[in-house]
Amino acid sequence: MCDRERGWSEVPLVKTWQLIAGSAVAGLALSAAVVATSGPWDSGQRKAERDRAASWTRTGGADHAAGGLPQAAPSAPGVLGVLAPRPDAGAGALAGALAPLLADPALGTARGASVIDVATGRVLYESGAADPMKPASTVKIVTASAALAALGPEHRIRTTVAPGAGPGEIVLVGGGDPSLTAKKKSPAGSGGSLVALAADTAQALKAAGTDTVTLGYDDSLYTGPVLHPNDVGRAGNIAPVTALTADEGRRDDSTAGTAARTDDPSGDTARAFAALLRDRGIKVNGEPGKAKAPAGAQPLATTLSTPLAGLVERMLTNSDNDIAEALARQTALAAGKPASFEGGEQAVTEKLASLGVDLKGTRFLDGSGLNHEDRVTTRLLTALLAKAADPARPELRPVLTGLPVAGFTGTLSGRNSGTSPAAGLLRAKTGTLTGANGLAGTVVDPSGRLLAFAFLAGNAPVKESAEKGLDKLAAAVAATS
């Protein structure tokens, strides 16, 4: 029985773990096109979802033995086929459904739309699809695609501790891990751990007969401005972008959304690390200061980020600006360019060009979409979504698996929910910025075709009304064959 027949929309207040367990048993229809291909899928279930399910309490997941420790939800059986062309029902009905919705004044004075059949590449509907528009957070699809193409889904980012230049000196070296945490167990999920790094460092120091150190920190991997120019008045959308930041510089226990941020993420991370060393019997003299690890120094200890696939999924699901800017800089480093806003733009542009997509009129001044001068086309967004579904591009698959699910997860948890024909079937990245709204993702239509869509709206008078208009467009794609 497919999920449309099961009636996801009739289940009230479905929790994320229920969605995970349900997809493990039945396999959500939106996954149908890519499950059997290689990549970060495990028979249709995201690695990040399994990791998160395994970390919850005994009652939080599926298939947990009575009284036992939490285990990952079981993987879906391989019952869904690879991407294959479906009978083409034609584009007339879709155009008839979308054209009047796209004319809604709530969408503002500029609109772009693109819908394609992923299996065949056939354009089913376009309107202003080649017009460069302000993408807001839909640009994170661009950032994710470039980072995955440059580094691969299994890449991990290192944070290390190295010997310093003098006796008794050690240096905490930032590698730009956006998942780094100073908490014993981060509610955000797996990632680099300062706690584990401190334990390993203390063990190495004691083995060498050292119990007193001077701690420095090295965040020189990133260059250029650390403040995002469009986080107006430090609104809490993003922390200062440095190569050494724990818990995204958040001053509270939040893991997503806006929050008060530290002005000195590198220094705060080093001070937290010093406290962790002291807790483990290592005396740290004075306050940590900036230092440079000697070239070629062998690390005393290392902690690794969650794999890039997991970072991409977390970024897309929660629209995480901090991860987005980190991934743009990691793309720059892979290309041998400065890890800065400017270097990120150059590297992302070059990597996308190597994928063979049309970049005419586009601009990527940041990785997050906070910059009002960013420009994309809806044609570019659907092209990248189609690339991510291509069996020949398994490294790009997290671009699809990370998209929020309508009515269930992330930034779509409250949109296209309930009785909407898109609930549970549509995955999409949202975009919201003053003067810009967007929605881009994938959906399986009633005839079984996997479609990629992108809708951008500019100069909309009311954000909430624009979002409703975009949701109606996406629901029409889901309901029309």
Side-chain angles (χ1 to χ4, degrees):
M1 180 181 290
C2 71
D3 294 309
R4 189 180 296 274
E5 291 169 338
R6 284 184 181 275
W8 283 102
S9 61
E10 296 175 4
V11 182
L13 302 176
V14 180
K15 296 182 179 179
T16 302
W17 72 263
Q18 291 172 303
L19 172 63
I20 296 168
S23 69
V25 175
L28 284 176
L30 57 93
S31 303
V34 290
V35 169
T37 58
S38 58
W41 290 85
D42 181 3
S43 298
Q45 192 175 34
R46 299 193 304 176
K47 286 187 174 182
E49 287 175 340
R50 292 187 290 108
D51 175 69
R52 190 178 184 198
S55 71
W56 290 348
T57 62
R58 292 190 181 103
T59 59
D63 198 31
H64 294 165
L69 293 175
Q71 299 294 322
S75 296
V79 296
L80 300 178
V82 297
L83 186 65
R86 299 273 182 170
D88 192 346
L94 189 61
L98 294 181
L101 295 174
L102 197 64
D104 185 350
L107 295 176
T109 58
R111 301 94 185 266
S114 174
V115 183
I116 65 173
D117 184 325
V118 170
T120 65
R122 182 169 185 259
V123 175
L124 301 180
Y125 182 77
E126 280 192 344
S127 178
D131 297 341
M133 295 183 63
K134 194 183 302 185
S137 281
T138 63
V139 85
K140 291 182 174 75
I141 293 173
V142 170
T143 305
S145 300
L148 288 165
L151 296 161
E154 299 302 324
H155 177 77
R156 292 175 183 254
I157 303 168
R158 294 174 176 269
T159 305
T160 62
V161 176
E169 295 180 0
I170 61 172
V171 182
L172 176 63
V173 184
D177 175 10
S179 68
L180 186 67
T181 180
K183 297 180 171 64
K184 186 174 182 180
K185 186 175 182 180
S186 171
S190 64
S193 170
L194 281 183
V195 176
L197 187 63
D200 291 345
T201 301
Q203 183 178 16
L205 291 170
K206 291 175 182 178
T210 301
D211 61 4
T212 303
V213 297
T214 299
L215 174 64
Y217 62 93
D218 184 352
D219 63 355
S220 62
L221 186 65
Y222 287 1
T223 59
V226 300
L227 295 180
H228 193 291
N230 284 41
D231 191 27
V232 181
R234 296 299 308 280
N237 292 311
I238 187 172
V241 186
T242 77
L244 183 64
T245 303
D247 300 298
E248 298 187 339
R250 294 174 180 269
R251 294 188 180 277
D252 56 22
D253 290 328
S254 66
T255 60
T258 58
R261 311 296 184 102
T262 176
D263 293 324
D264 182 19
S266 296
D268 282 359
T269 302
R271 285 184 282 273
F273 186 69
L276 290 168
L277 287 177
R278 293 186 182 105
D279 290 344
R280 285 151 182 79
I282 302 297
K283 181 180 178 182
V284 180
N285 292 324
E287 284 287 299
K290 285 202 172 187
K292 185 73 174 176
Q298 292 298 310
L300 298 172
T302 299
T303 186
L304 301 176
S305 73
T306 194
L308 187 65
L311 292 176
V312 164
E313 289 178 345
R314 195 180 301 178
M315 173 186 71
L316 294 173
T317 298
N318 297 324
S319 199
D320 193 301
N321 297 315
D322 300 88
I323 295 177
E325 297 303 342
L327 295 189
R329 282 158 179 73
Q330 294 298 317
T331 305
L333 291 169
K337 298 184 183 299
S340 61
F341 285 109
E342 183 177 355
E345 179 185 12
Q346 295 171 359
V348 167
T349 301
E350 291 178 7
K351 184 52 63 176
L352 293 185
S354 74
L355 294 177
V357 293
D358 183 2
L359 297 176
K360 186 177 181 181
T362 58
R363 190 78 193 274
F364 315 117
L365 288 168
D366 64 3
S368 61
L370 287 172
N371 198 308
H372 286 269
E373 301 306 313
D374 288 338
R375 293 293 182 271
V376 305
T377 65
T378 55
R379 185 176 292 167
L380 171 64
L381 293 174
T382 53
L384 290 175
L385 292 165
K387 290 282 184 185
D390 186 347
R393 291 281 184 182
E395 73 278 8
L396 300 182
R397 205 75 72 243
V399 174
L400 300 185
T401 62
L403 295 172
V405 180
F408 288 94
T409 61
T411 56
L412 281 186
S413 59
R415 295 175 60 175
N416 264 322
S417 56
T419 58
S420 168
L425 297 175
L426 177 145
R427 286 185 183 268
K429 180 69 199 76
T430 56
T432 305
L433 198 63
T434 302
N437 297 88
L439 194 65
T442 62
V443 68
V444 177
D445 75 1
S447 67
R449 295 181 300 180
L450 179 67
L451 307 182
F453 66 86
F455 301 110
L456 295 175
N459 306 314
V462 180
K463 174 183 76 96
E464 292 78 9
S465 298
E467 289 179 347
K468 289 180 180 178
L470 293 171
D471 289 345
K472 289 178 182 177
L473 285 163
V477 176
T480 308
S481 59

